[in-house]
């Protein structure tokens, strides 16, 4: 019966949110795991937890006018979807990318609610951003855009209310400009954003956290089959914050990362990618990955980013964007003997890709589990800001490692409870849901 109930709720989500394909994909992925939970624990359906969970607490959309270097006024759209604060203040990144729209924001806000639950830390779920494209913009243009964005957003955020951070297109530079404007508007030095620079109350190891956390998680996955990263060939898509530090940590643990990409194409370096060169090109020069072959002439560059999944590898870690790995790519990875796919990006794999990967018996982890290291260290940044204190890199890194191990354990335990021991996707959804649902039940009809 509850099974039917979930189907009905999903149908109504479709009707209420037509054309929001990413949001519907996120809801469908989670609901598929929750059917058995709804059957075993009918109290959640009775309390309308499922209906409440698919409706964001609020969605804020606003105009972001800014002036370009030629004196023209330009207009973008800003978003903040405050999805759920049952277990803590809203928390989640801001994305600046031309493909940002309400559906993407809602999908990511929904996912973030579950991810943050898994982290074990007191943070609710949110996402925000803009269809502004920072690529090709001058420093001045990026700063003016960030100032205008925060001039509206500051009304809705606060250290105990909603604490944004970075995501695609939003790194330390953008967080700095956003923070400066918040401080100017409010007169408060608040921990209102995470991913802040180290001189002004940022946390050590936040920059590295998502990528390092992903590799700590992969290490746990490999442990389950008595293996390690040492000697494994890895392919990592993207070459931004998450991809870079995943590559750095994987290399440090003895894996050979042979390929990375950006939206234009991918590089293949049989000797193992030199992550210092990637950092120079991407972090310092804000350049394109094609430039890598200037520094490493034996490496090759190929146009088109999806081709990266045609390479032979043991481990594949998509770290670029949503739906970057489809069924066709999954089939190639399987055919070439890949044994593990762990998502660094949010919703990296399409649903039919996930089905293929699971059917072929690969180890698979959804982003909400394996990329939770970033938001977890963000929560540790909030803690340090509240204490007016800062931990050393080693202290934060050690906590991150424990958190990732904890997420792996929680997902595995929940999967076992329902007799699906190796299904991390199922276990992550179930463990994450139960905590949020119990918190909502305890707080009454809100
Ligand atoms: P960045 O903006 O730093 O990097 C994104 C990278 O992905 C860039 O190299 C970009 O290339 C590339 N990219 C974008 N679209 C494509 C595509 N279609 N094919 C191939 N490459 C592409 O973002 P992050 O590293 O911060 O984020 C990456 C993913 O990880 C996102 O899904 C994000 O939501 C998720 N994530 C991020 C966290 C964080 O702490 N930053 C935490 C948890 C998840 P180009 O420069 O050409 O656009
Ligand atoms: O998707 C994510 O978890 C992030 N972009 C990080 C969010 C955060 O608040 O650190």
């Amino acid at each position: 019966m509850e099974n039917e109930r979930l189907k009905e709720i999903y149908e109504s989500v479709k009707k209420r949110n037509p054309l929001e394909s990413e949001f519907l994909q996120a809801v469908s992925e989670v609901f598929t795991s929750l059917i058995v939970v709804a059957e075993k624990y009918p109290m959640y359906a009775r309390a309308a937890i499922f209906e409440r969970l698919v409706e964001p607490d609020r969605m804020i959309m606003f105009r972001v006018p800014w002036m370009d270097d030629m004196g023209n006024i330009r207009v973008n759209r800003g978003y903040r979807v405050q999805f759920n604060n049952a277990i803590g203040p809203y928390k989640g990144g801001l994305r600046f990318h031309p493909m940002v729209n309400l559906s993407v924001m809602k999908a990511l806000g929904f996912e973030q609610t579950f991810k943050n639950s898994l982290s074990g830390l007191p943070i609710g779920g949110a996402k925000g951003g803009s269809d502004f494209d920072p690529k090709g913009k001058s420093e001045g243009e990026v700063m003016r855009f960030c100032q205008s964005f925060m001039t509206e957003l500051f009304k809705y955020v606060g250290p105990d209310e909603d604490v944004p951070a970075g995501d695609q297109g939003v790194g330390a530079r953008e967080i700095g400009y956003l923070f400066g404007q918040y401080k100017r508007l409010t007169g408060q030095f608040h921990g209102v954003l995470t991913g802040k620079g180290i001189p002004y109350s940022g946390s050590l190891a936040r920059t590295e956290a998502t990528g390092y956390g992903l590799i700590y998680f992969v290490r746990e996955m490999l442990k389950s089959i008595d293996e390690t990263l040492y000697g494994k060939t890895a392919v990592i898509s993207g070459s931004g914050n998450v991809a870079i530090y995943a590559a750095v940590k994987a290399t440090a643990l003895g894996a050979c990362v042979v390929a990375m990409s950006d939206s234009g194409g991918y590089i293949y370096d049989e000797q193992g990618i030199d992550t210092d060169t990637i950092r120079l090109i991407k972090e310092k020069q804000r350049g394109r990955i094609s430039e890598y072959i200037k520094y490493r002439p034996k490496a090759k560059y190929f146009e088109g980013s999806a081709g990266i999944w045609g390479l032979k590898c043991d481990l594949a870690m998509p770290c670029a964007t949503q739906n970057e790995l489809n069924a066709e790519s999954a089939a190639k990875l399987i055919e070439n003997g890949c044994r593990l796919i762990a998502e660094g990006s949010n919703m990296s794999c399409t649903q039919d890709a996930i089905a293929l990967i699971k059917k072929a018996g690969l180890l698979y982890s959804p982003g909400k589990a394996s990329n939770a290291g970033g938001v977890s260290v963000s929560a540790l940044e909030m803690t340090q800001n509240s204490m007016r204190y800062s931990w050393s890199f080693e202290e934060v890194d050690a906590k991150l490692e424990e958190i990732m191990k904890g997420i792996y354990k929680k997902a595995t335990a929940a999967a076992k409870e329902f007799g699906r021991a190796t299904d991390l996707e199922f276990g992550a959804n179930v463990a994450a849901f139960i905590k949020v649902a119990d918190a909502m039940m305890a707080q009454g009809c809100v």
Side-chain angles (χ1 to χ4, degrees):
M1 186 191 123
E2 279 75 22
N3 204 332
E4 283 307 309
R5 174 94 181 261
L6 274 191
K7 268 192 215 150
E8 264 169 40
I9 298 169
Y10 182 65
E11 286 309 312
S12 108
V13 175
K14 265 164 82 178
K15 269 201 203 111
R16 287 157 66 91
N17 307 278
L19 308 178
E20 293 188 357
S21 63
E22 294 85 359
F23 178 54
L24 294 171
Q25 177 184 342
V27 173
S28 155
E29 192 265 338
V30 171
F31 270 26
T32 305
S33 300
L34 296 183
I35 291 169
V36 288
V37 181
E39 277 164 8
K40 185 165 178 187
Y41 301 115
M43 62 194 183
Y44 295 131
R46 277 201 297 272
I49 294 296
F50 301 103
E51 288 90 331
R52 287 195 262 162
L53 259 179
V54 293
E55 194 61 34
D57 289 357
R58 68 193 62 76
M59 297 178 271
I60 301 144
M61 289 171 63
F62 50 96
R63 181 173 68 227
V64 190
W66 56 282
M67 194 173 279
D68 70 19
D69 289 344
M70 308 299 288
N72 302 309
I73 293 180
R74 311 266 288 261
V75 180
N76 286 94
R77 186 173 291 169
Y79 301 85
R80 187 70 179 164
V81 176
Q82 297 178 330
F83 221 100
N84 188 299
N85 66 354
I87 63 174
Y90 302 109
K91 182 86 197 85
L94 296 173
R95 177 179 292 190
F96 292 170
H97 191 278
M99 300 296 281
V100 161
N101 58 40
L102 187 60
S103 170
V104 172
M105 295 287 99
K106 285 169 70 179
L108 296 173
F110 182 76
E111 287 284 287
Q112 196 82 42
T113 302
F114 295 98
K115 181 193 308 190
N116 294 2
S117 167
L118 281 173
S119 76
L121 301 163
I123 39 177
K127 198 81 191 188
S130 173
D131 57 1
F132 173 77
D133 187 357
K135 256 191 234 126
K137 302 290 189 301
S138 69
E139 283 287 321
E141 288 173 331
V142 170
M143 182 173 74
R144 289 192 294 279
F145 176 82
C146 289
Q147 290 176 337
S148 180
F149 185 88
M150 184 51 87
T151 301
E152 185 62 25
L153 187 70
F154 91 101
K155 299 167 190 164
Y156 311 102
V157 295
D160 295 311
E161 187 179 357
D162 183 355
V163 183
D167 192 81
Q168 271 177 261
V170 178
R173 172 181 67 170
E174 290 75 17
I175 293 293
Y177 296 147
L178 292 163
F179 184 77
Q181 185 72 354
Y182 175 88
K183 193 162 58 81
R184 189 156 67 149
L185 289 163
T186 62
Q188 307 286 325
F189 197 108
H190 273 154
V192 69
L193 290 154
T194 58
K196 299 185 290 300
I198 304 305
Y200 62 97
S201 82
S203 174
L204 289 163
R206 175 62 188 90
T207 304
E208 294 82 358
T210 314
Y212 279 22
L214 171 64
I215 300 302
Y216 295 146
F217 197 87
V218 166
R219 191 158 64 174
E220 294 307 300
M221 293 169 79
L222 288 172
K223 250 190 221 163
S224 74
I225 52 165
D226 284 331
E227 294 204 22
T228 67
L229 279 130
Y230 191 81
K232 299 274 189 305
T233 302
V235 163
I236 298 180
S237 67
S239 46
N241 176 263
V242 179
I244 288 176
Y245 292 96
V248 168
K249 186 52 91 178
T251 307
L253 293 179
C256 180
V257 179
V258 293
M260 292 180 78
S261 61
D262 62 20
S263 57
Y266 69 94
I267 47 161
Y268 177 72
D269 189 339
E270 203 180 2
Q271 305 298 308
I273 297 225
D274 179 31
T275 48
D276 285 341
T277 303
I278 297 285
R279 291 184 60 198
L280 172 76
I281 297 168
K282 287 291 174 181
E283 294 182 338
K284 296 227 166 58
Q285 302 169 350
R286 296 183 183 276
R288 308 303 300 159
I289 204 153
S290 53
E291 291 157 37
Y292 182 83
I293 55 173
K294 283 198 306 208
Y295 298 89
R296 302 266 289 187
K298 283 191 185 147
K300 294 191 181 86
Y301 173 72
F302 300 90
E303 290 283 337
S305 54
I308 199 169
W309 307 122
L311 297 171
K312 195 170 161 50
C313 62
D314 302 308
L315 318 172
M317 289 173 263
C319 293
T321 194
Q322 69 275 359
N323 292 328
E324 55 171 310
L325 205 163
N326 62 17
E328 197 188 324
S329 302
K332 281 190 200 143
L333 285 169
I334 296 163
E335 202 183 301
N336 285 331
C338 177
R339 298 169 57 204
L340 176 150
I341 300 180
E343 295 185 351
S345 44
N346 287 306
M347 287 172 47
S348 322
C349 297
T350 59
Q351 280 193 288
D352 48 0
I354 298 173
L356 271 185
I357 294 163
K358 284 188 175 182
K359 195 165 163 228
L362 274 68
L363 296 176
Y364 165 73
S365 157
K368 61 173 81 80
S370 40
N371 76 26
V375 76
S376 298
V377 172
S378 276
L380 298 180
E381 182 171 332
M382 290 165 71
T383 309
Q384 293 168 81
N385 291 169
S386 299
M387 294 193 297
R388 304 262 188 267
Y389 190 68
S390 32
W391 290 316
S392 68
F393 188 98
E394 290 71 23
E395 282 173 294
V396 179
D397 191 31
K399 289 184 200 310
L400 168 65
E401 204 174 335
E402 282 314 305
I403 290 166
M404 298 314 294
K405 283 184 185 166
I407 295 173
Y408 182 82
K409 270 198 199 127
K410 278 176 232 170
T412 311
K416 273 200 188 122
E417 183 192 334
F418 289 89
R420 290 168 65 171
T422 57
D423 192 340
L424 279 176
E425 183 204 15
F426 171 80
N429 283 336
V430 171
F433 166 80
I434 288 178
K435 180 174 174 182
V436 177
D438 287 348
M440 289 173 79
M441 300 259 294
Q443 292 170 36
C445 176
V446 290

